[in-house]
Structure formats: structure tokens, C-alpha cells
Amino acid sequence: MPDPIEQLTSALADHYRIEREVGQGGMATVYLAQDLKHNRQVAVKVLRPDLAATLGPDRFLREIEIAAQLHHPHIMPLYDSGEADGFLYYVMPYEQGQSLRERLTRQGELPIAEVVRLLEHVVDALAHAHEYGVVHRDIKPENIMLSGQHAIVTDFGVAKAVSEATGRQQLTTAGVALGTPSYMAPEQASADPNIDQRADIYAIGIVAYELLTGQPPFTGNTAQAVLAAHLTQKPEPVSTHRDTVPPALEALVMRCLEKKAADRWQSANELGAQLRALGATSSVGITPTAGVEPVKRWSPVAKVGIVVAALVVLAGAYGTMQFGKVGRAGTLIGRDLLAKDDLILVAEFEDRTDDATLGQTITDAVRVELQQSPVVEVLSQAGMWDGMRRMGLDIGTALPDSQVRELAERENAKAYVAGEVSQLGAGYQITARVIATADGTEALTVRVTAANDDELIGALEELGLQLRRDIGESLRSVRSAPPLSQVTTSSLPALRALMAGSRAERGGDRPRAITLIEEALRLDSTFATAWRSLAVMHVNSNRYREATDAIARAYVFRDRLPERERLGVTSMYHSLRSEYDLAEVAERQLIDLEPDDPFGYVGLSNVLLKVHRWPEAEAAALEGVEKDSSEQIAYWNAVEAQIAQGRFDAADSTLALMAPYFPDGAWHREMVQSNLLAQRDLEALRLFHDSLGAEGILQQDVQAQFSQCLSFFYRGRLTEARQCSTLFPFPQMLFPRLRYLSDTTGVLRGIELGRTAMVEGQDTEAVAFFVALLAEMGQTSEAQALLDEWRDLVGADDPVFLVYHNYAEGAIALADGDFDSAAQAFLAFNRSGYPTSLHLFNRGFSEAANAMDRAGRPDSAIALYERALAQPSIYAGNYEVRWYPFALRRLGELYEARGDRDQAVDYYQRFIDLWRDADAELQPQVDDARQRLVGLVGERG
């Protein structure tokens, strides 16, 4: 009898490496495995063999596919499912946190506020699934994972898939009940065939009961006894076991547990609204919500005591508010000078000390402190500087009050914080003033002192907390906030270095920025914000190995960060590891946290672009535009998603919407050119460049000149292309130029540039292209040596190498005549994920087509060439000019050989139109195509 694990390992060996068994449930055994394609840990859940034999694969897989479509922050995504050697399996992320069952086992009943919060998450997940017709049918603590402060429901749709595949609610022949007896609704227990979403509502009631009391409402020695109790017994009130549960919450839970489905909450949306209302009250539902009749359980004596206590508390609170000015009555919100969620900005503090960097450091620290407040929104440093640029002001400088007020008005900030830092002996005095934008009145002044540098962080912390209290944040909230030294660093020199590095990056000096942030990390290696900043800068420099390492360090210390920054780190960490489903969860949580912040929508659109969910990416990006019409990345992502769908007119509309918000026009021009290149509308692109030249813009816009240079390559105007290709600042940009160079010296010079970039860790994807050039020249041993050198230098698991080595290996195989291997490598290059923002990148198909063509397989070649032509690419020119003209001509030849004259005529004509004005050295190819065209038209005539 073969070992099941060995058999499973063998069956899944092409996709997953099974490491060990980690658990068993009623329907499946769970294995920890390594996803070989994406290099990540996953949970492979394998249905019990007897259950799998009863089901059969077809209907099970058809039904479970529905669950795979669910995308929600509180739903564990389904990566994969299938059948292998008789095993039915499905694959989910391997969540290293604890399950709700483990939490209950360790702790017993949970705090009431936490119960409400967790129930909100689970019910929100159910509401999303129910909209798609998916009923979970097995909600229980084992199927709810805890990730930080969040609940994530797992195994969604699996029980439904099993029941639908068999056509019954209970598989007695397989010995498995679909659902768990302690959490089964009466209709499940009685095998009613008409199960709907209200069965999940009942299960939520059971889970809530257990979270509040430490035990489910029905227990028994056998499963049959428990099922009978669900059908016949009324559960004891929650208060029987825990009398501190608020009446409204108890009533909510007991209504979930009604025997008749018609007497329960009728939908997860309805239940969710009740939970949110409970969660919004500080006492978790002392006042009943509409539709929830509280359970009457207080004795007359207790009622009298409660009333007396409440009067004492109210009287004390009123006296404190009136005479002590504590609470919101004495705050900016209490005085109606600000409202909750109003936007404020923090202006540059005036520096009156001998230290030129201290004012900037204090400005950033105050901004960080205020960004933790839940009662106001704070304009980010990036937003502040973008606004200053639009006003024509120098960034990072202290402004006179009149300009700060104008900036606040432009950014729709209701108030702004201005201040100064002065020398006070060996220490400092820091003053912050909150000023109303509308009339310029000073609404609040806070002043603190620090005896020396060592006390400065503590003084800044005191300043920030006092501002938050006096603006209107509750004392409890302020006290619960992590100290500034934890959110940032306890090292003032490290904080200064980070702030200086951030400013250097915004000023365009990235090498200095990286040096400064590395200095901050030498001073404090636990500085999570600095690790994240370093990761972002490495990504922007195309140094993905370094970025991945840096964000991993930030992820280790993420709990030190405010929730917004923690979620940002979490998203970037998973995204760089190609764990896009988990990155999406973090981005959606960020949106839930700050629904009016455009950056959450931009981040979500980035993730959705990476997994080619174009319509959703477009919607998220446009939501970011709606939140902030000056957010340029939101426009870019929306246009990219529209291009990917072939909706070029929609992209034009988005570009028209964008234009007024960017007076200098550089970003707008770049995106217009990208849209035209994606359509390969070279005539429109020529007219656009002509108009820029007539206005004197082309001569100043390097990006436009680069785009024009690419259009020359497209059209075969090599003399002009070679002259302007000195504009190409990066080694990989030489690639299209070198495609047309016949001299070995020029190619080898480019290869040395690529090797230099590789050693310096920048633009290492260029190495793959230069490997390909060596192979094309017949120097396959030199090509292999360069590829090996690259692998040895960066490591086989380097994020860029993992993608681009496929291209290099394909080129070498092609040069060696191994056409099948070449095609497979090029197609693997096409399928590979990519760690950067290159979401829409047409690659691999044309090279695979060439390999199939040379292998004598014209049908495959035609299909692959046409796939390449059909795919729009926002990064088309720099890569595509190598193959696009040749693909048109070759398709004409292939269709001519097949005898399809109409198709051949079409492709020959497109090639001739493209190279009509090509240089003389290319005209023989145009003449040949023209002669073929004439012959075909005559035949067709």
C-alpha cells in the first residue's frame, strides 16, 4: 500500500513541494507546501479519499470554481484546485497566525468589544459571498483565522461545493456531515435540501455565543445528540453564563439562533448593520438598535442602582466639561472650529536654532504624530510638496503665513499648523499654533520645552499628544496611541537622517537619499519607517533584491507602526513576494481605514494591475482620481487598465480629465504618447510630435524626444533613430538600437554597459537582452557565461532574475537550434510575474513565434505572432520595435504559403505602410513585399 503523502507528493510534484501535514478536518487533510511557480508557502487541502471517491472531480471542481471568484479583505482567497492521481485538492495561502479556535482554547471567552469587531469582519465576508450565491455552510472558529486585528474566513464554498457535487446535504455514505454538528442550523441538521444564507446566520449566532460565554449553546456526547438539540432545544440566554453582555448584543445573538429561518436576521447585510451600530457605541450596545429588543434581566434593586450610578456619572461629567474645559466642549471640535475628518496641513516649522535640519525634523515628527489621530485627516508630506510646486514655491522651506494660508485654501484644508523651534540655553522651545484657514485666526497654541537633545523626542511626543487632545480626540484614544519613539525611533539622529533622506529623494537626489536612510538604520536597526523608505527607493532604482530584503525588515517591525503605515508595509511585502492576494487584502483594509484617502485606491489598483484584473483596476484607479483629482499615479493606472482592455477612447477621456491638473503637462504628454504607442498609431504620434516641436516643447521634453526616437525605429528611419538614441539613459534602452547595428563592436560596447549595470545592481533586466544579443551573433558560449555571471552575482532567487532568465535561456536555446525549448522559455517569460510597475508589457510571444517558425510549425508561429500583435502594451516601443515590423512581413509570407491570400495581402500592406519612408538600406525588404503584394492582388483580381 503506497504511503499517501508520498503518493500526493509525486502527484503534485510539478506545481507544489509537499513539506508536512499540519492538520486534519472533517473533510480534508491540510499540508504545508511550497508553491514552486510563485516561490511561496501555501496550504494544500486534500479531500478525504472516501469523500473524493463519492464526489468525483468534475462537479466538485465546477462548483468550487465559484468560490475562487470571491475577492474580499476578510475572505481567504482560493489559489488553485484540481485533481491529481485521484486526489481532489484546493490550495489557499498558508496563514501562520492562529485560528479563532486556538484563541478560544487558550483564552476562553473574549472581551465584548473584540467579539463585536470580529463578528463584523466575518459577517461582512458572508455578505460579500451571499451576493454571489455562495453559502459557506461550515462557519466555525476553526474556519476563522486571526491576522493582526482582523478576522479572515477560510474554506469558503467548500462545503457548498461538496453538497452540490453530490446533490445532498449529508454524505452518510462517505461518513461525513457537511457542516460541523455544533454549528449546524436546524435545517442542515434535518437535511433540508433548501439551504440558504440564513444557515450561515445561525452559525454566526453559535460562534458569537461561544465567543461571549466560552462554550457553544448545545453540547452532547454524540453528534446525533447535538443535532437533536439544534432541532428541539431553546438555547439558554447568553446572560445566564455572562451577565456583563449588553442586552442589545444578547438580543442580536439570540435572534440569530431562532429555530425557524424566517425568525432570524434575513441577510448578512441586515445583521452587519446591527453589529456596526453596536460597535459604534462606546459601551457596545447599551442602547438597543432598532429591531433588537433587549433581553429583560435586571432585578428592581439592580435597576435602582444603575439609575443612581448613571446620574452621578452624568453630573460629574457635566461639571468637568463646564469648569475644567476637559472633553470636547473645550476643544476645536467642541467649539465647531473643526469637524471630525476635516483636513489639516502641517507647514514647515521656522528654525531659529543653529541646526539647519532641526526645523524640518520637527515638522515631520509633528505630522507623523497628528497622522495617528482618528479625528482629523492630515495632508501628507508628498501632498504638501505637490501643492507647493503647483504654487511655484520651493519645497521643504518655511513659508510666510500668507502663503501657508493660500496653500491650505488650495488644498481644502480647514486649518493648518504653523510653528517654530528656538534655542533655549542647551535645550529648545517648540511652539505649534493651529490657525483657521477661513479667517486666519489663531485657534490653539501649544508650547513645550526640551532640556537637551536627548529629551527632544519626548517633548515632541508631548506636543503632539497635547495638539490631539485640544483638537478633540478623546483622552482614552490619545493614551492608547503608541508613543512617537515607537512609531518612529527613539534616536533623534536616526530620525533626522530619515527626514533628510526623504527630502533628498523628493528633491531628485536618490543616491544621497539612500545613503542618509542607510545611516538612519545604522543608528536604529529597528526603525520600520526607514526600512520601508529604503525599500521604496530601491524599487524606484530597479534594485529588487535590495528592495525585497529591506521590506522584509520593515515587515518584522511593522507592529511598531500606525495602522496605515503597517498596512502599507504589509502590502509592499506581499507584492514583492508576488503574493498579490495578500497584498490586495492589505490595500482593501487600508481603504476601509481611510476611505477618502486616494493612496489606498492607487495601491489597490497597482495590485489589481499586476494580476491583470483590468476592469477592477480601472475602477479602483478612477476612485482614486475622484478622491484627489491631482493624484497622477491614479490617472496613469486608470489609463493603463483602459489600454489593456483596448478601450483607447476611454483612455483619451481620462487623459482629457487629467490635463487641467498638471499645468506643466509633462506627465500628460508621456501618457498621451503611451496611449498612441499602445495602439501603434504612428501617424497620430508623428502629428503629436510635430505639434510639440511647433510649440517649442519637444526640444525641452526628453521623454517626448525618446518617444519620437522609438517611432523612428518603428518606421525604419534608422539614420534619425541612431542619431537620437543617445537619449537612451539606461542600458536596456540600447536594445532596440542594437537590433539594427551590424558591427560587433557596438554590440559588445552595449554589453559592457549591461555588465556594469548588473554589478551596480541597477536595471539588471538589461543583462538578459545582452545575453540574447550575444546568442543572436552566434556567440552562445559567451552568452551562457554572461548568464552564469549574472546568476552567480544576484542569486537564482533574485526577483528580476526569476523573470528575465527565461528570456536569456530562450535566446540561447534558439541559437543552438533547440526550438521547442526556446519557445517554452519565451512563453515562460510571458507568464512570469514582475515585481515592478510593468503591468502591461507585451513580451515573449513574438520570440516564441520565431522559434516555432524556425521549427517548421507555421500554424503555431501564426497563432503566436498574432497573439503578440493583439496585445496592447503601455511599454511597447522600447521592446516591441525589435520585432513588430518583422512580424508583419513574416505573417504575410506565412499566410501566402498557406494559400490565404486575403490575410497575406493585409499583412504585406501593413508592413509596406509602416516602412514606406524607411531608410534606403531597408527598402529592398519593402520592395520584395510590394512585389509579393502585387502578385497576390493580381491572383485575387
Side-chain angles (χ1 to χ4, degrees), residues 665-681:
W667 261 76
H668 183 259
R669 289 193 298 273
E670 182 177 353
M671 293 170 66
V672 167
Q673 292 167 106
S674 293
N675 191 25
L676 294 174
L677 277 170
Q679 299 173 67
R680 306 184 184 99
D681 191 344

mmCIF file with all atom_site columns, all heavy atoms in Angstrom, residues 665-681:
data_model
loop_
_atom_site.group_PDB
_atom_site.id
_atom_site.type_symbol
_atom_site.label_atom_id
_atom_site.label_alt_id
_atom_site.label_comp_id
_atom_site.label_asym_id
_atom_site.label_entity_id
_atom_site.label_seq_id
_atom_site.pdbx_PDB_ins_code
_atom_site.Cartn_x
_atom_site.Cartn_y
_atom_site.Cartn_z
_atom_site.occupancy
_atom_site.B_iso_or_equiv
_atom_site.pdbx_formal_charge
_atom_site.auth_seq_id
_atom_site.auth_comp_id
_atom_site.auth_asym_id
_atom_site.auth_atom_id
_atom_site.pdbx_PDB_model_num
ATOM 1   N N   . GLY A 1 665 ? 2.341  69.822 -17.923 1.00 0.00 ? 665 GLY A N   1
ATOM 2   C CA  . GLY A 1 665 ? 1.977  68.904 -18.996 1.00 0.00 ? 665 GLY A CA  1
ATOM 3   C C   . GLY A 1 665 ? 2.873  67.716 -19.218 1.00 0.00 ? 665 GLY A C   1
ATOM 4   O O   . GLY A 1 665 ? 2.583  66.879 -20.078 1.00 0.00 ? 665 GLY A O   1
ATOM 5   N N   . ALA A 1 666 ? 3.985  67.569 -18.464 1.00 0.00 ? 666 ALA A N   1
ATOM 6   C CA  . ALA A 1 666 ? 4.944  66.508 -18.774 1.00 0.00 ? 666 ALA A CA  1
ATOM 7   C C   . ALA A 1 666 ? 4.340  65.124 -18.611 1.00 0.00 ? 666 ALA A C   1
ATOM 8   O O   . ALA A 1 666 ? 4.453  64.274 -19.508 1.00 0.00 ? 666 ALA A O   1
ATOM 9   C CB  . ALA A 1 666 ? 6.181  66.659 -17.885 1.00 0.00 ? 666 ALA A CB  1
ATOM 10  N N   . TRP A 1 667 ? 3.669  64.904 -17.473 1.00 0.00 ? 667 TRP A N   1
ATOM 11  C CA  . TRP A 1 667 ? 3.060  63.590 -17.249 1.00 0.00 ? 667 TRP A CA  1
ATOM 12  C C   . TRP A 1 667 ? 1.961  63.335 -18.274 1.00 0.00 ? 667 TRP A C   1
ATOM 13  O O   . TRP A 1 667 ? 1.820  62.234 -18.791 1.00 0.00 ? 667 TRP A O   1
ATOM 14  C CB  . TRP A 1 667 ? 2.500  63.517 -15.824 1.00 0.00 ? 667 TRP A CB  1
ATOM 15  C CG  . TRP A 1 667 ? 3.404  62.812 -14.887 1.00 0.00 ? 667 TRP A CG  1
ATOM 16  C CD1 . TRP A 1 667 ? 4.553  63.302 -14.338 1.00 0.00 ? 667 TRP A CD1 1
ATOM 17  C CD2 . TRP A 1 667 ? 3.262  61.484 -14.392 1.00 0.00 ? 667 TRP A CD2 1
ATOM 18  N NE1 . TRP A 1 667 ? 5.128  62.356 -13.532 1.00 0.00 ? 667 TRP A NE1 1
ATOM 19  C CE2 . TRP A 1 667 ? 4.359  61.240 -13.541 1.00 0.00 ? 667 TRP A CE2 1
ATOM 20  C CE3 . TRP A 1 667 ? 2.315  60.494 -14.585 1.00 0.00 ? 667 TRP A CE3 1
ATOM 21  C CZ2 . TRP A 1 667 ? 4.524  60.035 -12.886 1.00 0.00 ? 667 TRP A CZ2 1
ATOM 22  C CZ3 . TRP A 1 667 ? 2.481  59.285 -13.918 1.00 0.00 ? 667 TRP A CZ3 1
ATOM 23  C CH2 . TRP A 1 667 ? 3.579  59.065 -13.091 1.00 0.00 ? 667 TRP A CH2 1
ATOM 24  N N   . HIS A 1 668 ? 1.190  64.356 -18.545 1.00 0.00 ? 668 HIS A N   1
ATOM 25  C CA  . HIS A 1 668 ? 0.102  64.201 -19.503 1.00 0.00 ? 668 HIS A CA  1
ATOM 26  C C   . HIS A 1 668 ? 0.651  63.838 -20.878 1.00 0.00 ? 668 HIS A C   1
ATOM 27  O O   . HIS A 1 668 ? 0.136  62.938 -21.550 1.00 0.00 ? 668 HIS A O   1
ATOM 28  C CB  . HIS A 1 668 ? -0.706 65.498 -19.571 1.00 0.00 ? 668 HIS A CB  1
ATOM 29  C CG  . HIS A 1 668 ? -1.890 65.421 -20.470 1.00 0.00 ? 668 HIS A CG  1
ATOM 30  N ND1 . HIS A 1 668 ? -1.895 65.945 -21.754 1.00 0.00 ? 668 HIS A ND1 1
ATOM 31  C CD2 . HIS A 1 668 ? -3.123 64.854 -20.303 1.00 0.00 ? 668 HIS A CD2 1
ATOM 32  C CE1 . HIS A 1 668 ? -3.056 65.721 -22.310 1.00 0.00 ? 668 HIS A CE1 1
ATOM 33  N NE2 . HIS A 1 668 ? -3.826 65.067 -21.462 1.00 0.00 ? 668 HIS A NE2 1
ATOM 34  N N   . ARG A 1 669 ? 1.702  64.515 -21.317 1.00 0.00 ? 669 ARG A N   1
ATOM 35  C CA  . ARG A 1 669 ? 2.297  64.221 -22.625 1.00 0.00 ? 669 ARG A CA  1
ATOM 36  C C   . ARG A 1 669 ? 2.824  62.793 -22.685 1.00 0.00 ? 669 ARG A C   1
ATOM 37  O O   . ARG A 1 669 ? 2.635  62.089 -23.692 1.00 0.00 ? 669 ARG A O   1
ATOM 38  C CB  . ARG A 1 669 ? 3.428  65.202 -22.925 1.00 0.00 ? 669 ARG A CB  1
ATOM 39  C CG  . ARG A 1 669 ? 2.962  66.616 -23.209 1.00 0.00 ? 669 ARG A CG  1
ATOM 40  C CD  . ARG A 1 669 ? 4.083  67.448 -23.800 1.00 0.00 ? 669 ARG A CD  1
ATOM 41  N NE  . ARG A 1 669 ? 5.217  67.605 -22.909 1.00 0.00 ? 669 ARG A NE  1
ATOM 42  C CZ  . ARG A 1 669 ? 5.322  68.560 -21.989 1.00 0.00 ? 669 ARG A CZ  1
ATOM 43  N NH1 . ARG A 1 669 ? 4.348  69.450 -21.836 1.00 0.00 ? 669 ARG A NH1 1
ATOM 44  N NH2 . ARG A 1 669 ? 6.395  68.661 -21.228 1.00 0.00 ? 669 ARG A NH2 1
ATOM 45  N N   . GLU A 1 670 ? 3.478  62.360 -21.611 1.00 0.00 ? 670 GLU A N   1
ATOM 46  C CA  . GLU A 1 670 ? 4.015  60.994 -21.601 1.00 0.00 ? 670 GLU A CA  1
ATOM 47  C C   . GLU A 1 670 ? 2.901  59.964 -21.740 1.00 0.00 ? 670 GLU A C   1
ATOM 48  O O   . GLU A 1 670 ? 3.032  58.973 -22.471 1.00 0.00 ? 670 GLU A O   1
ATOM 49  C CB  . GLU A 1 670 ? 4.803  60.748 -20.317 1.00 0.00 ? 670 GLU A CB  1
ATOM 50  C CG  . GLU A 1 670 ? 5.429  59.368 -20.245 1.00 0.00 ? 670 GLU A CG  1
ATOM 51  C CD  . GLU A 1 670 ? 6.270  59.158 -19.006 1.00 0.00 ? 670 GLU A CD  1
ATOM 52  O OE1 . GLU A 1 670 ? 6.492  60.123 -18.247 1.00 0.00 ? 670 GLU A OE1 1
ATOM 53  O OE2 . GLU A 1 670 ? 6.714  58.014 -18.803 1.00 0.00 ? 670 GLU A OE2 1
ATOM 54  N N   . MET A 1 671 ? 1.783  60.202 -21.059 1.00 0.00 ? 671 MET A N   1
ATOM 55  C CA  . MET A 1 671 ? 0.685  59.241 -21.112 1.00 0.00 ? 671 MET A CA  1
ATOM 56  C C   . MET A 1 671 ? -0.026 59.265 -22.461 1.00 0.00 ? 671 MET A C   1
ATOM 57  O O   . MET A 1 671 ? -0.465 58.228 -22.962 1.00 0.00 ? 671 MET A O   1
ATOM 58  C CB  . MET A 1 671 ? -0.287 59.522 -19.967 1.00 0.00 ? 671 MET A CB  1
ATOM 59  C CG  . MET A 1 671 ? 0.327  59.248 -18.595 1.00 0.00 ? 671 MET A CG  1
ATOM 60  S SD  . MET A 1 671 ? -0.685 59.852 -17.226 1.00 0.00 ? 671 MET A SD  1
ATOM 61  C CE  . MET A 1 671 ? -2.108 58.792 -17.372 1.00 0.00 ? 671 MET A CE  1
ATOM 62  N N   . VAL A 1 672 ? -0.127 60.451 -23.072 1.00 0.00 ? 672 VAL A N   1
ATOM 63  C CA  . VAL A 1 672 ? -0.709 60.530 -24.417 1.00 0.00 ? 672 VAL A CA  1
ATOM 64  C C   . VAL A 1 672 ? 0.134  59.701 -25.379 1.00 0.00 ? 672 VAL A C   1
ATOM 65  O O   . VAL A 1 672 ? -0.394 58.927 -26.194 1.00 0.00 ? 672 VAL A O   1
ATOM 66  C CB  . VAL A 1 672 ? -0.789 61.994 -24.886 1.00 0.00 ? 672 VAL A CB  1
ATOM 67  C CG1 . VAL A 1 672 ? -1.096 62.062 -26.379 1.00 0.00 ? 672 VAL A CG1 1
ATOM 68  C CG2 . VAL A 1 672 ? -1.857 62.745 -24.098 1.00 0.00 ? 672 VAL A CG2 1
ATOM 69  N N   . GLN A 1 673 ? 1.454  59.852 -25.299 1.00 0.00 ? 673 GLN A N   1
ATOM 70  C CA  . GLN A 1 673 ? 2.337  59.103 -26.184 1.00 0.00 ? 673 GLN A CA  1
ATOM 71  C C   . GLN A 1 673 ? 2.249  57.601 -25.931 1.00 0.00 ? 673 GLN A C   1
ATOM 72  O O   . GLN A 1 673 ? 2.270  56.796 -26.866 1.00 0.00 ? 673 GLN A O   1
ATOM 73  C CB  . GLN A 1 673 ? 3.779  59.591 -26.001 1.00 0.00 ? 673 GLN A CB  1
ATOM 74  C CG  . GLN A 1 673 ? 3.976  61.012 -26.493 1.00 0.00 ? 673 GLN A CG  1
ATOM 75  C CD  . GLN A 1 673 ? 5.292  61.621 -26.038 1.00 0.00 ? 673 GLN A CD  1
ATOM 76  O OE1 . GLN A 1 673 ? 6.204  61.754 -26.824 1.00 0.00 ? 673 GLN A OE1 1
ATOM 77  N NE2 . GLN A 1 673 ? 5.385  61.991 -24.770 1.00 0.00 ? 673 GLN A NE2 1
ATOM 78  N N   . SER A 1 674 ? 2.120  57.213 -24.670 1.00 0.00 ? 674 SER A N   1
ATOM 79  C CA  . SER A 1 674 ? 1.990  55.786 -24.348 1.00 0.00 ? 674 SER A CA  1
ATOM 80  C C   . SER A 1 674 ? 0.704  55.217 -24.951 1.00 0.00 ? 674 SER A C   1
ATOM 81  O O   . SER A 1 674 ? 0.691  54.088 -25.453 1.00 0.00 ? 674 SER A O   1
ATOM 82  C CB  . SER A 1 674 ? 1.987  55.588 -22.828 1.00 0.00 ? 674 SER A CB  1
ATOM 83  O OG  . SER A 1 674 ? 3.243  55.916 -22.276 1.00 0.00 ? 674 SER A OG  1
ATOM 84  N N   . ASN A 1 675 ? -0.382 55.990 -24.893 1.00 0.00 ? 675 ASN A N   1
ATOM 85  C CA  . ASN A 1 675 ? -1.644 55.533 -25.462 1.00 0.00 ? 675 ASN A CA  1
ATOM 86  C C   . ASN A 1 675 ? -1.524 55.356 -26.977 1.00 0.00 ? 675 ASN A C   1
ATOM 87  O O   . ASN A 1 675 ? -2.018 54.380 -27.551 1.00 0.00 ? 675 ASN A O   1
ATOM 88  C CB  . ASN A 1 675 ? -2.749 56.534 -25.125 1.00 0.00 ? 675 ASN A CB  1
ATOM 89  C CG  . ASN A 1 675 ? -4.138 56.004 -25.449 1.00 0.00 ? 675 ASN A CG  1
ATOM 90  O OD1 . ASN A 1 675 ? -4.370 54.791 -25.493 1.00 0.00 ? 675 ASN A OD1 1
ATOM 91  N ND2 . ASN A 1 675 ? -5.081 56.911 -25.676 1.00 0.00 ? 675 ASN A ND2 1
ATOM 92  N N   . LEU A 1 676 ? -0.847 56.282 -27.652 1.00 0.00 ? 676 LEU A N   1
ATOM 93  C CA  . LEU A 1 676 ? -0.678 56.184 -29.100 1.00 0.00 ? 676 LEU A CA  1
ATOM 94  C C   . LEU A 1 676 ? 0.247  55.025 -29.475 1.00 0.00 ? 676 LEU A C   1
ATOM 95  O O   . LEU A 1 676 ? -0.007 54.301 -30.446 1.00 0.00 ? 676 LEU A O   1
ATOM 96  C CB  . LEU A 1 676 ? -0.141 57.504 -29.653 1.00 0.00 ? 676 LEU A CB  1
ATOM 97  C CG  . LEU A 1 676 ? -1.097 58.699 -29.542 1.00 0.00 ? 676 LEU A CG  1
ATOM 98  C CD1 . LEU A 1 676 ? -0.409 59.981 -29.990 1.00 0.00 ? 676 LEU A CD1 1
ATOM 99  C CD2 . LEU A 1 676 ? -2.363 58.459 -30.354 1.00 0.00 ? 676 LEU A CD2 1
ATOM 100 N N   . LEU A 1 677 ? 1.309  54.827 -28.687 1.00 0.00 ? 677 LEU A N   1
ATOM 101 C CA  . LEU A 1 677 ? 2.211  53.702 -28.953 1.00 0.00 ? 677 LEU A CA  1
ATOM 102 C C   . LEU A 1 677 ? 1.488  52.369 -28.742 1.00 0.00 ? 677 LEU A C   1
ATOM 103 O O   . LEU A 1 677 ? 1.712  51.408 -29.486 1.00 0.00 ? 677 LEU A O   1
ATOM 104 C CB  . LEU A 1 677 ? 3.446  53.778 -28.046 1.00 0.00 ? 677 LEU A CB  1
ATOM 105 C CG  . LEU A 1 677 ? 4.574  54.691 -28.514 1.00 0.00 ? 677 LEU A CG  1
ATOM 106 C CD1 . LEU A 1 677 ? 5.619  54.851 -27.413 1.00 0.00 ? 677 LEU A CD1 1
ATOM 107 C CD2 . LEU A 1 677 ? 5.229  54.148 -29.783 1.00 0.00 ? 677 LEU A CD2 1
ATOM 108 N N   . ALA A 1 678 ? 0.645  52.300 -27.707 1.00 0.00 ? 678 ALA A N   1
ATOM 109 C CA  . ALA A 1 678 ? -0.089 51.056 -27.450 1.00 0.00 ? 678 ALA A CA  1
ATOM 110 C C   . ALA A 1 678 ? -1.000 50.711 -28.623 1.00 0.00 ? 678 ALA A C   1
ATOM 111 O O   . ALA A 1 678 ? -1.222 49.537 -28.927 1.00 0.00 ? 678 ALA A O   1
ATOM 112 C CB  . ALA A 1 678 ? -0.903 51.190 -26.169 1.00 0.00 ? 678 ALA A CB  1
ATOM 113 N N   . GLN A 1 679 ? -1.530 51.730 -29.293 1.00 0.00 ? 679 GLN A N   1
ATOM 114 C CA  . GLN A 1 679 ? -2.372 51.496 -30.472 1.00 0.00 ? 679 GLN A CA  1
ATOM 115 C C   . GLN A 1 679 ? -1.537 51.311 -31.737 1.00 0.00 ? 679 GLN A C   1
ATOM 116 O O   . GLN A 1 679 ? -2.076 50.982 -32.790 1.00 0.00 ? 679 GLN A O   1
ATOM 117 C CB  . GLN A 1 679 ? -3.315 52.691 -30.677 1.00 0.00 ? 679 GLN A CB  1
ATOM 118 C CG  . GLN A 1 679 ? -4.260 52.942 -29.522 1.00 0.00 ? 679 GLN A CG  1
ATOM 119 C CD  . GLN A 1 679 ? -5.042 54.219 -29.697 1.00 0.00 ? 679 GLN A CD  1
ATOM 120 O OE1 . GLN A 1 679 ? -5.876 54.331 -30.590 1.00 0.00 ? 679 GLN A OE1 1
ATOM 121 N NE2 . GLN A 1 679 ? -4.796 55.204 -28.834 1.00 0.00 ? 679 GLN A NE2 1
ATOM 122 N N   . ARG A 1 680 ? -0.244 51.580 -31.623 1.00 0.00 ? 680 ARG A N   1
ATOM 123 C CA  . ARG A 1 680 ? 0.670  51.601 -32.781 1.00 0.00 ? 680 ARG A CA  1
ATOM 124 C C   . ARG A 1 680 ? 0.163  52.585 -33.842 1.00 0.00 ? 680 ARG A C   1
ATOM 125 O O   . ARG A 1 680 ? 0.294  52.342 -35.052 1.00 0.00 ? 680 ARG A O   1
ATOM 126 C CB  . ARG A 1 680 ? 0.844  50.206 -33.358 1.00 0.00 ? 680 ARG A CB  1
ATOM 127 C CG  . ARG A 1 680 ? 1.298  49.163 -32.324 1.00 0.00 ? 680 ARG A CG  1
ATOM 128 C CD  . ARG A 1 680 ? 1.548  47.818 -32.956 1.00 0.00 ? 680 ARG A CD  1
ATOM 129 N NE  . ARG A 1 680 ? 1.877  46.814 -31.936 1.00 0.00 ? 680 ARG A NE  1
ATOM 130 C CZ  . ARG A 1 680 ? 1.017  45.935 -31.434 1.00 0.00 ? 680 ARG A CZ  1
ATOM 131 N NH1 . ARG A 1 680 ? -0.236 45.937 -31.850 1.00 0.00 ? 680 ARG A NH1 1
ATOM 132 N NH2 . ARG A 1 680 ? 1.394  45.061 -30.535 1.00 0.00 ? 680 ARG A NH2 1
ATOM 133 N N   . ASP A 1 681 ? -0.406 53.685 -33.368 1.00 0.00 ? 681 ASP A N   1
ATOM 134 C CA  . ASP A 1 681 ? -0.898 54.731 -34.257 1.00 0.00 ? 681 ASP A CA  1
ATOM 135 C C   . ASP A 1 681 ? 0.249  55.710 -34.486 1.00 0.00 ? 681 ASP A C   1
ATOM 136 O O   . ASP A 1 681 ? 0.320  56.797 -33.904 1.00 0.00 ? 681 ASP A O   1
ATOM 137 C CB  . ASP A 1 681 ? -2.107 55.433 -33.637 1.00 0.00 ? 681 ASP A CB  1
ATOM 138 C CG  . ASP A 1 681 ? -2.821 56.346 -34.628 1.00 0.00 ? 681 ASP A CG  1
ATOM 139 O OD1 . ASP A 1 681 ? -2.216 56.675 -35.673 1.00 0.00 ? 681 ASP A OD1 1
ATOM 140 O OD2 . ASP A 1 681 ? -3.976 56.725 -34.356 1.00 0.00 ? 681 ASP A OD2 1
#
